[in-house]
Amino acid sequence: MLRVDIITIFPDYFREAFDYGIIRRARAANLVSVQAHDLRSWTSDKHHMVDDRPFGGGDGMVLKPEPIFAAVESLAGARRREEIATGKRVVLLSPQGQPLTQSIAADFAKSAQLVLICGRYEGVDERVADALVTDEVSIGDYVLSGGEPAALVVIDATVRLIPGALGSETSATTESFSDGLLDYPHYTRPPVFEGMRVPEVLLTGHHAEIARWRREAAQAKTRRNRPDLLK
Ligand code: 9WO
């Protein structure tokens, strides 16, 4: 069973996020447990302060290190990266992280525990990334208002790769990225919709021809939208 713990100042953001589709089924099958925790519950001052002003000046506020270290200590049993048990990962979602890939998600799916730290405000005290985090991960080159949407993306990509999480109707190996290309185009009925025809070959039942069409269509799509994947 993979245990996923999310550290956030907005735990309610995740309230219904895991009640749908593959994640819901994986939870029901005890393949994964997911829990969001309020960072403020690891503060010790009267006002439950999680942020403070940046050293060196500048706009906005920075998430303080103490509550984050305390949260990871209570959730993963360690206060330093070196003390984190094998199979546990402490992940900081950040635009400065390494880009999330299918291979990183597959790695996460094999772990015993994922602790996901969601940043807010202008950023997170760098001592978290330096001394506590095992993986700093970005979901793409854009700025979000916080790490929460990125945590959802990481969890979704990860949970569906836990053996048994996908139904027999879908196999993770026949999908986008497993062969380094984008997925081929899909069609269903009707064969003609507002004058737009489904490619004739898909209606013929010639499986070898269909496989060839799909391979070529996937290549064409990849060349147009993601030429970087072909190099
Ligand atoms: C903003 C910014 C703008 C220009 C160059 C670098 C920059 N970094 C940031 C930044 O770190 N903003 C964060 C916004 C502050 C903490 C909350 N935010 C955020 C974005 N958390 N997580 C993301 C994110 C984005 C993409 N993938 C994973 C996480």
Side-chain angles (χ1 to χ4, degrees):
M1 149 96 88
L2 169 63
R3 172 178 165 179
V4 180
D5 293 291
I6 306 158
I7 300 169
T8 171
I9 61 167
F10 295 128
D12 289 347
Y13 176 89
F14 298 94
R15 219 167 17 174
E16 296 190 353
F18 309 116
D19 293 350
Y20 300 93
I22 289 163
I23 297 179
R24 180 194 182 100
R25 204 168 55 198
R27 291 174 65 216
N30 287 322
L31 296 171
V32 65
S33 71
V34 191
Q35 235 183 306
H37 308 270
D38 190 344
L39 179 62
R40 289 187 200 284
S41 62
W42 284 283
T43 53
S44 44
D45 62 304
K46 189 171 72 177
H47 295 106
H48 302 287
M49 299 289 294
V50 293
D51 59 329
D52 206 339
R53 294 156 63 201
F55 278 126
D59 287 338
M61 302 290 271
V62 175
L63 280 182
K64 295 162 61 60
E66 301 96 318
I68 297 176
F69 276 77
V72 172
E73 177 169 33
S74 73
L75 294 171
R79 287 189 71 82
R80 279 291 186 278
R81 175 166 47 237
E82 301 74 44
E83 299 163 1
I84 292 167
T86 314
K88 298 187 180 188
R89 313 290 283 263
V90 177
V91 179
L92 176 64
L93 290 318
S94 129
Q96 287 75 44
Q98 60 171 331
L100 179 67
T101 60
Q102 195 67 4
S103 141
I104 292 171
D107 228 43
F108 287 170
K110 290 182 196 135
S111 61
Q113 184 184 18
L114 283 184
V115 178
L116 302 175
I117 302 168
C118 303
R120 275 277 158 178
Y121 309 113
E122 303 316 302
V124 179
D125 188 287
E126 190 66 15
R127 287 166 290 195
V128 171
D130 282 347
L132 187 57
V133 156
T134 63
D135 303 86
E136 190 172 0
V137 171
S138 163
I139 62 160
D141 292 336
Y142 34 77
V143 179
L144 302 172
S145 17
E148 286 80 5
L152 285 184
V153 168
V154 168
I155 292 165
D156 193 279
T158 298
V159 169
R160 54 199 306 292
L161 295 179
I162 299 173
L166 288 186
S168 48
E169 75 278 6
T170 2
S171 136
T173 58
T174 66
E175 293 174 277
S176 249
F177 294 111
S178 55
D179 54 4
L181 292 179
L182 301 183
D183 202 1
Y184 57 77
H186 301 263
Y187 296 89
T188 186
R189 294 189 294 176
V192 186
F193 170 68
E194 294 185 1
M196 298 179 282
R197 308 187 71 83
V198 172
E200 202 62 37
V201 62
L202 300 179
L203 311 175
T204 61
H206 289 129
H207 298 298
E209 295 260 316
I210 290 169
R212 190 160 77 100
W213 181 88
R214 285 178 169 166
R215 206 159 46 238
E216 285 170 2
Q219 273 163 8
K221 186 84 128 180
T222 307
R223 201 174 315 117
R224 171 173 308 171
N225 287 349
R226 294 294 306 277
D228 57 297
L229 293 178
L230 294 171
K231 283 160 193 151

